[in-house]
């Protein structure tokens, strides 16, 4: 099955020649976040959902200093056996979707990383929280803001952390562009563009099933431009407009979006113009421009290497596997109380869900929808 995961990997490997072949180093130590993995206790993680992305996370975690796979949760016994062999997971740390509440009594598991279809996140998160374990949930955290807020509330009540799998919040080029923007290198920000899309394959996959996905391209790939607009601009949007186009109503049934263009308005007057689509390939680009300069990233959110440059030249900081860095940093957030440069908590996820809810509303009504994040 050709998925977004496959597409992002191929796109980043095959990135074309970009302008500004000369380079410069705007920060003497741009990789300091990666050098900052301090010795300390290990976060013991159970992976829930052993599909393609679950496998990617697991393989990346083999290089982690502060996080380790100690358990699995799956509805497929054969997958559990494979993972047990590969990651030396004992029988007592293996669960299915019916009995995983028993992790409450398992001291070998500190956190559960939920990597299942979107519509399952809410219920699974509530159960993990009730078991007293920290939750790491793949994005989108839920299928709407109401469910997302309920997840936040449940984790807060249980006294556990809820983190969302925003791997780009720890990526070196992303953090360097954010640093340059904060330090005024681009002057007053004026405009952001985010393009997120590819041609989706298998029409029977869960990402095209509204009951499991909660939507279509917006939930899967468009959320990158939503989230990116927020951390690149450095403000929270106050309104949204959107337009939807559907060329294949058989493949993209009611409630499953094929292509949506949307615009976000920010308090300072910055406008973000973004595209989310399952119908056009090779769309993975961020562009931020201010009065004094610009930053561009293409690929901007693929698995790497990320390619980036500004009006002064290339950045292209050294590539580190995103999921390795993410899990080490999340271990320090959970165990050490570390504060990330760009938030990855449940409240961050709810903000994106509020924007997605408003985009769907604006696409239907044709009107500008106010946002209060």
């Amino acid at each position: 099955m050709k998925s977004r995961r496959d597409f992002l990997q191929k796109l980043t490997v095959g990135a074309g020649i970009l302008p500004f072949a000369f380079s410069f180093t705007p920060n003497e130590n741009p990789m300091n976040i990666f050098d900052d993995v301090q010795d300390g206790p290990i976060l013991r993680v159970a992976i829930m959902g052993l599909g393609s992305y679950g496998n990617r996370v697991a393989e990346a975690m083999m290089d982690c200093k502060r996080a380790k796979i100690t358990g699995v949760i799956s509805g497929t016994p054969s997958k559990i056996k494979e993972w047990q062999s590969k990651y030396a997971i004992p029988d007592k740390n293996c669960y299915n979707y019916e009995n995983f509440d028993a992790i409450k009594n398992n001291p070998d598991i500190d956190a559960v990383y939920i990597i299942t279809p979107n519509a399952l996140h809410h219920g699974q998160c509530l159960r993990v929280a009730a078991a007293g374990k920290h939750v790491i949930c793949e994005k989108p955290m839920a299928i709407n803001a109401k469910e997302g807020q309920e997840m936040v509330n449940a984790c807060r009540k249980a006294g556990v952390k809820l983190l969302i799998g925003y791997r780009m919040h720890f990526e070196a080029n992303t953090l360097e562009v954010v640093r340059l923007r904060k330090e005024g290198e681009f002057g007053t920000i004026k405009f952001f563009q985010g393009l997120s899309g590819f041609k989706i394959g298998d029409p029977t996959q869960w990402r095209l099933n509204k009951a499991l996905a909660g939507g279509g391209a917006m939930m899967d790939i468009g959320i990158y431009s939503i989230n990116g607009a927020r951390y690149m601009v450095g403000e929270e949007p106050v309104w949204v407009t959107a337009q939807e186009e559907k060329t294949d109503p058989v493949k993209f049934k009611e409630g499953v979006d094929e292509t949506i263009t949307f615009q976000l308005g920010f308090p300072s007057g910055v406008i973000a113009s973004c595209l989310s689509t399952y119908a056009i390939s090779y769309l993975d680009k961020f562009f931020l421009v201010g009065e004094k300069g610009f930053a561009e990233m293409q690929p901007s959110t693929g698995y790497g290497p990320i390619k980036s440059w500004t009006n002064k030249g290339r950045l292209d900081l050294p590539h580190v596997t995103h999921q390795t860095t993410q899990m080490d940093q999340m271990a320090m957030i959970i165990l050490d109380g570390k504060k990330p440069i760009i938030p990855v908590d449940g409240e961050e996820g709810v903000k994106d869900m509020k924007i997605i809810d408003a985009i769907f509303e604006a696409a239907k009504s044709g009107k500008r929808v106010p946002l209060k994040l």
Side-chain angles (χ1 to χ4, degrees):
M1 178 178 72
K2 185 176 180 181
S3 70
R4 172 176 60 87
R5 322 294 184 191
D6 302 321
F7 162 75
L8 290 177
Q9 181 70 6
K10 291 176 181 177
L11 178 60
T12 54
V13 170
I17 298 173
L18 300 176
F20 300 102
F22 60 93
S23 64
F24 81 118
T25 305
N27 187 2
E28 291 183 357
N29 186 23
M31 295 290 286
N32 56 7
I33 184 173
F34 310 111
D35 299 334
D36 192 32
V37 180
Q38 304 296 325
D39 291 337
I42 301 298
L43 183 70
R44 298 164 296 183
V45 180
I47 301 291
M48 179 186 290
L50 310 184
S52 61
Y53 193 69
N55 274 276
R56 182 178 292 275
V57 170
E59 290 172 5
M61 286 180 65
M62 295 178 75
D63 293 325
C64 283
K65 299 177 181 177
R66 294 290 303 274
K68 178 183 179 181
I69 295 173
T70 57
V72 291
I73 303 169
S74 174
T76 308
S78 61
K79 289 183 178 180
I80 291 177
K81 289 298 182 183
E82 291 173 6
W83 280 55
Q84 281 189 273
S85 176
K86 186 171 184 178
Y87 300 107
I89 301 169
D91 289 341
K92 66 184 181 68
N93 293 356
C94 298
Y95 303 87
N96 58 43
Y97 294 123
E98 286 70 45
N99 68 12
F100 75 80
D101 307 272
I103 60 174
K104 180 176 183 178
N105 302 313
N106 192 333
D108 292 345
I109 297 172
D110 302 312
V112 175
Y113 194 160
I114 299 172
I115 311 176
T116 56
N118 308 336
L120 305 181
H121 295 176
H122 174 263
Q124 291 167 343
C125 172
L126 268 54
R127 290 172 64 185
V128 172
K133 304 298 182 179
H134 301 292
V135 180
I136 302 170
C137 184
E138 193 47 39
K139 61 90 200 143
M141 69 182 297
I143 61 171
N144 55 50
K146 178 178 180 295
E147 284 194 355
Q149 189 59 55
E150 289 172 355
M151 293 162 67
V152 169
N153 295 344
C155 289
R156 184 182 295 127
K157 181 179 179 181
V160 298
K161 297 279 189 183
L162 170 57
L163 305 180
I164 311 303
Y166 290 122
R167 59 186 168 83
M168 302 311 300
H169 292 203
F170 306 108
E171 194 278 323
N173 293 273
T174 301
L175 291 175
E176 181 65 0
V177 171
V178 169
R179 185 190 72 82
L180 292 170
R181 186 258 301 159
K182 286 181 177 179
E183 294 189 0
E185 283 291 322
F186 312 128
T188 302
I189 300 302
K190 293 296 185 180
F191 178 76
F192 172 81
Q193 181 187 49
L195 305 177
S196 301
F198 67 99
K199 285 187 177 181
I200 197 164
D202 181 8
T204 66
Q205 63 182 283
W206 70 262
R207 290 182 181 84
L208 297 177
N209 181 336
K210 186 178 187 299
L212 289 175
M218 185 61 65
M219 289 289 190
D220 183 27
I221 194 78
I223 190 171
Y224 283 106
S225 283
I226 292 170
N227 192 250
R230 295 174 51 230
Y231 63 67
M232 294 285 275
V233 172
E235 300 179 42
E236 298 294 8
V238 292
W239 58 259
V240 61
T241 56
Q243 305 79 38
E244 182 174 4
E245 179 66 27
K246 188 172 293 190
T247 64
D248 188 347
V250 175
K251 189 172 186 178
F252 302 98
K253 296 178 174 59
E254 181 66 26
V256 179
D257 51 287
E258 175 186 338
T259 299
I260 295 180
T261 55
F262 61 95
Q263 302 76 43
L264 300 171
F266 295 84
S268 66
V270 174
I271 301 295
S273 178
C274 303
L275 171 63
S276 165
T277 184
Y278 268 160
I280 308 170
S281 290
Y282 310 113
L283 291 179
D284 184 6
K285 176 181 176 179
F286 285 174
F287 178 69
L288 181 73
V289 64
E291 289 183 327
K292 293 167 55 178
F294 71 85
E296 189 163 357
M297 306 174 73
Q298 186 178 9
S300 57
T301 62
Y303 292 133
I306 299 302
K307 298 296 181 182
S308 59
W309 63 99
T310 77
N311 53 292
K312 293 184 178 180
R314 294 286 290 266
L315 298 176
D316 292 355
L317 300 179
H319 173 64
V320 179
T321 301
H322 298 172
Q323 294 82 3
T324 303
T325 304
Q326 172 193 323
M327 295 309 295
D328 268 337
Q329 294 295 320
M330 285 186 166
M332 290 190 287
I333 292 170
I334 291 172
L335 299 176
D336 304 345
K338 182 176 181 178
K339 299 294 184 183
I341 295 170
I342 307 174
V344 292
D345 53 36
E347 288 83 355
E348 177 81 356
V350 171
K351 290 177 180 179
D352 284 342
M353 296 315 304
K354 286 181 177 180
I355 296 172
I356 289 177
D357 288 350
I359 287 172
F360 289 154
E361 180 184 344
K364 286 183 178 179
S365 69
K367 298 179 180 179
R368 175 185 290 193
V369 175
L371 290 166
K372 187 175 182 181
L373 305 183

